[in-house]
Amino acid sequence: MCDACIAAASSPPTTRDIEEGTLPLLKFDASGLITAVAVDDATGDVLMVAHMNEESLARTVETGEAWYWSRSRKALWRKGETSGQLQTVAEMRIDCDQDAVVIRVRVGGDGGCCHTGRRSCFYRRVEKTEDGFHLVRDGD
Amino acid sequence: MCDACIAAASSPPTTRDIEEGTLPLLKFDASGLITAVAVDDATGDVLMVAHMNEESLARTVETGEAWYWSRSRKALWRKGETSGQLQTVAEMRIDCDQDAVVIRVRVGGDGGCCHTGRRSCFYRRVEKTEDGFHLVRDGD
């Protein structure tokens, strides 16, 4: 944790500190995670929703590449390490209550993101039906 | 749950069913929630990250307005009911493993979204410093 964070942590932060302040006062959940949304910097499309723990967040800031926490593998996850689909961070933003981040990224390799081979994980639209909804794949 | 969902639920879904199928096989977490990302349909900006339970998701699809689950109030939350900042859903998408949705919305009322009065909850950029990072508010 940075010096400013340690100083801030010495007294309980107020809502104003969290919402208006310039110090990171991140609200990790019970599993030590915050939600991370990756957006394609070129198109603005949402590519994926994943999670970061304190270390992956720090590495993302430090290296300028997206690092997540893989909940299935219980491990730090340098996105694209094996696929080449590295995500270079153009901008990172945090929300009002400091429990979610949005990163705008430029994707390396073949430009993909999803493990199914698609550019984005959000390749299905929700369409209302008479008794609920179904999903429609892009291109179908 | 719709008839198709009940039918699908009668045998354990395969990864292929979840990732390539057209039936909703939503993966709610231990609290019964999925992550919901609201994007401004006009600008493509991410406005907020919130959560939906099964009922709020169903109401969102049924009404075409964003309904969330408020974790702090432990209640269904029709976004904008008191503020007038209703979110009309232009498009809804679900991700590969069916545990997150993205909705593109048109915002009613004064066009705001964040409870701090701002248009988006992501009004602070993360900027790297020598010993970590700090936050920079838009306009500062």
Side-chain angles (χ1 to χ4, degrees):
Chain A
M1 212 186 325
C2 69
D3 291 347
C5 308
I6 293 166
S10 66
S11 63
T14 65
T15 300
R16 186 173 174 81
D17 292 337
I18 295 166
E19 295 182 349
E20 302 295 331
T22 59
L23 293 179
L25 294 164
L26 294 154
K27 193 163 80 186
F28 295 99
D29 70 10
S31 304
L33 302 176
I34 58 172
T35 304
V37 180
V39 172
D40 187 319
D41 189 48
T43 64
D45 290 340
V46 175
L47 296 175
M48 60 187 281
V49 171
H51 296 82
M52 291 184 181
N53 66 358
E54 191 167 2
E55 186 171 353
S56 58
L57 184 72
R59 288 195 187 197
T60 300
V61 173
E62 175 63 27
T63 64
E65 286 179 351
W67 283 76
Y68 301 102
W69 175 258
S70 167
R71 293 181 299 174
S72 55
R73 287 185 282 112
K74 296 183 176 44
L76 280 173
W77 167 26
R78 183 184 175 220
K79 175 66 181 167
E81 186 160 51
T82 52
S83 66
Q85 298 168 348
L86 294 166
Q87 296 181 344
T88 303
V89 179
E91 186 184 70
M92 186 170 193
R93 288 178 172 271
I94 197 157
D95 73 343
C96 46
D97 54 1
Q98 299 207 27
D99 67 354
V101 295
V102 168
I103 52 175
R104 292 186 69 101
V105 299
R106 290 186 288 266
V107 182
D110 63 4
C113 168
C114 182
H115 75 285
T116 65
R118 296 166 172 99
R119 201 179 59 80
S120 161
C121 293
F122 292 89
Y123 49 84
R124 284 175 294 185
R125 287 194 319 281
V126 170
E127 285 202 355
K128 188 176 173 181
T129 58
E130 277 189 15
D131 58 356
F133 62 92
H134 66 184
L135 311 178
V136 180
R137 283 188 302 261
D138 288 343
D140 280 3
Chain B
M1 214 186 323
C2 69
D3 290 347
C5 310
I6 292 167
S10 65
S11 63
T14 64
T15 301
R16 185 171 175 82
D17 292 337
I18 294 166
E19 295 182 350
E20 301 295 332
T22 58
L23 294 179
L25 294 165
L26 294 154
K27 193 163 80 185
F28 295 100
D29 70 10
S31 304
L33 302 175
I34 58 172
T35 304
V37 180
V39 171
D40 186 320
D41 188 46
T43 65
D45 290 341
V46 175
L47 296 175
M48 60 188 281
V49 171
H51 296 83
M52 291 184 181
N53 66 358
E54 190 167 2
E55 185 170 352
S56 58
L57 183 73
R59 287 195 188 197
T60 301
V61 173
E62 175 63 29
T63 65
E65 286 179 350
W67 284 76
Y68 302 102
W69 176 258
S70 167
R71 293 181 300 173
S72 56
R73 289 184 282 111
K74 296 183 175 47
L76 280 173
W77 167 26
R78 183 184 175 219
K79 175 67 181 165
E81 185 159 52
T82 54
S83 66
Q85 296 169 348
L86 294 167
Q87 296 182 344
T88 304
V89 178
E91 186 184 68
M92 185 170 195
R93 287 177 173 270
I94 197 157
D95 73 344
C96 46
D97 54 0
Q98 299 206 28
D99 67 355
V101 294
V102 168
I103 52 176
R104 292 187 70 101
V105 299
R106 290 186 288 267
V107 182
D110 64 5
C113 168
C114 184
H115 74 285
T116 66
R118 296 166 171 99
R119 201 178 60 81
S120 162
C121 295
F122 292 88
Y123 49 83
R124 286 175 293 185
R125 287 194 318 280
V126 171
E127 285 202 354
K128 187 177 173 180
T129 58
E130 276 189 16
D131 59 356
F133 63 92
H134 66 184
L135 310 177
V136 180
R137 281 188 303 261
D138 287 344
D140 280 3

